[in-house]
Amino acid sequence: MKVLLTGAAGFIGSHVARELVRRNHEVHALVRPRSDLVRIADIEPSLHIIRGDVVASSFALPQASFDCCIHLAWYVEPGKYLHAPENKEWVEASLRLARMLKENGCRRFVATGTCFEYAPSEPPQRESSATRPSTPYVRAKLELFDALQSIGIETAWLRFFYQYGPDEDSRRLVPVVINSLLRNQEMKLVPGDRVRDYLHIEDVASAVGAVADSRLTGAINIGSGTPVTVREIALKIGEALQRVELLKFGALPYAADEPQDLLADNTKLREGTGWKPKYNLEDGLRQTIEWWKKR
């Protein structure tokens, strides 16, 4: 299958690129002109690199048709993306891209949503659960999901829950805890008692690849289906590094927009593709800790 992959230089995108190569797809990786390709350096010879900026009004697809597009690119800078004005730009850019692809004969469009789309409810969250636009980021994602239905291209909408693993942005939870403890620094945390759903990035990538190869459409939860709290994750890291005493739970308050319990019902993903994860949380965190130790 000939696949156009946007966001290939990012955390999720780089692992998805690796998964698509493993599946023997012809991968055309669309990256911004000044993107650092360090995350995909090991597989770059196996990719067709396209330099371009989807949000630029002058953006045009290369003269080629694709069987499928996996659209992962978005503005996701930690601490800023939830309320960023860039979210509106990405809705417009994503719709332009989907229309271009449809006109060029592309059959399938796999786009990325978020678990934050769900309104507060008792877990697990199912694809049929109510949604609510709680931030500009979520509002933009829901707007894009609705608009894609009218374009006439087969669309799968990936609702990502939480991810962790090698090459994650060092400002996110798991790397922050690991690196603080490796430096023997005290780690201030929220109480951490709310339910979350964390999935190792390699399992996230294999789920995306499985959906791309399927005929599933509509919203699809990408998560482990296993409940865990931030407190439990931090404790597992602390125990692995023998530095639990550095963890200070409750030293920070929850953010005002911190969601309540979030847990994926991944039945649609599992039954529709046969997907199953490679890592449990303990093994995934151990592998991730070893990756950070080497850096």
Side-chain angles (χ1 to χ4, degrees):
M1 184 164 67
K2 189 174 181 179
V3 181
L4 176 66
L5 174 65
T6 75
F11 174 45
I12 297 177
S14 59
H15 287 275
V16 170
R18 202 166 284 108
E19 174 68 16
L20 295 174
V21 168
R22 189 189 68 78
R23 289 172 178 257
N24 295 316
H25 292 315
E26 181 183 323
V27 184
H28 295 251
L30 178 60
V31 296
R32 299 184 104 167
R34 291 177 295 279
S35 288
D36 186 344
L37 304 187
V38 63
R39 284 184 169 125
I40 52 174
D42 60 317
I43 58 167
E44 190 173 348
S46 300
L47 304 174
H48 301 268
I49 301 295
I50 304 169
R51 293 281 184 177
D53 190 347
V54 174
V55 296
S57 58
S58 59
F59 173 77
L61 282 173
Q63 294 301 309
S65 60
F66 300 96
D67 300 304
C68 175
C69 173
I70 302 176
H71 180 41
L72 301 179
W74 199 272
Y75 178 79
V76 289
E77 185 172 354
K80 296 183 179 180
Y81 73 97
L82 288 176
H83 300 277
E86 285 89 345
N87 284 298
K88 184 173 177 57
E89 295 178 2
W90 277 100
V91 174
E92 297 165 355
S94 300
L95 288 173
R96 283 200 307 270
L97 175 64
R99 292 189 183 104
M100 289 179 197
L101 288 160
K102 173 69 165 49
E103 290 170 2
N104 285 358
C106 183
R107 174 182 63 83
R108 187 162 172 78
F109 193 70
V110 180
T112 53
T114 170
C115 63
F116 298 151
E117 293 171 37
Y118 291 115
S121 62
E122 287 296 315
Q125 278 71 35
R126 300 176 175 84
E127 289 86 356
S128 59
S129 296
T131 59
R132 188 179 75 182
S134 55
T135 65
Y137 172 69
V138 174
R139 188 175 299 112
K141 289 292 187 178
L142 287 170
E143 181 183 338
L144 175 59
F145 181 39
D146 288 342
L148 285 171
Q149 312 308 308
S150 64
I151 288 179
I153 190 170
E154 184 179 286
T155 301
W157 185 256
L158 308 176
R159 282 189 177 143
F160 287 123
F161 281 67
Y162 292 78
Q163 314 89 36
Y164 71 97
D167 269 325
E168 187 173 9
D169 190 300
S170 61
R171 294 168 290 179
R172 287 164 58 96
L173 174 70
V174 170
V176 166
V177 175
I178 291 172
N179 288 313
S180 293
L181 299 192
L182 285 174
R183 297 185 187 108
N184 209 33
Q185 295 173 346
E186 189 176 273
M187 182 70 222
K188 294 181 179 180
L189 293 157
V190 296
D193 55 353
R194 296 179 182 177
V195 170
R196 294 290 179 260
D197 186 314
Y198 273 82
L199 186 63
H200 190 280
I201 190 61
E202 291 177 26
D203 290 327
V204 173
S206 68
V208 174
V211 170
D213 284 349
S214 77
R215 298 304 298 269
L216 286 178
T217 59
I220 304 155
N221 286 338
I222 306 296
S224 69
T226 302
V228 68
T229 65
V230 167
R231 185 183 187 90
E232 289 171 323
I233 289 174
L235 284 172
K236 287 180 187 297
I237 295 170
E239 289 164 1
L241 294 173
Q242 299 182 340
R243 291 173 186 171
V244 172
E245 72 281 358
L246 294 175
L247 301 172
K248 305 301 177 184
F249 296 103
L252 298 176
Y254 284 117
D257 54 7
E258 176 78 11
Q260 294 294 324
D261 297 345
L262 285 169
L263 176 64
D265 180 329
N266 60 15
T267 303
K268 183 176 180 179
L269 169 65
R270 288 187 290 102
E271 294 185 351
T273 68
W275 171 88
K276 58 182 180 181
K278 172 182 174 182
Y279 292 94
N280 60 33
L281 185 61
E282 290 76 11
D283 291 341
L285 286 174
R286 191 177 304 114
Q287 183 250 27
T288 304
I289 289 168
E290 291 305 311
W291 188 87
W292 281 106
K293 278 182 177 180
K294 294 173 182 176
R295 283 148 183 82

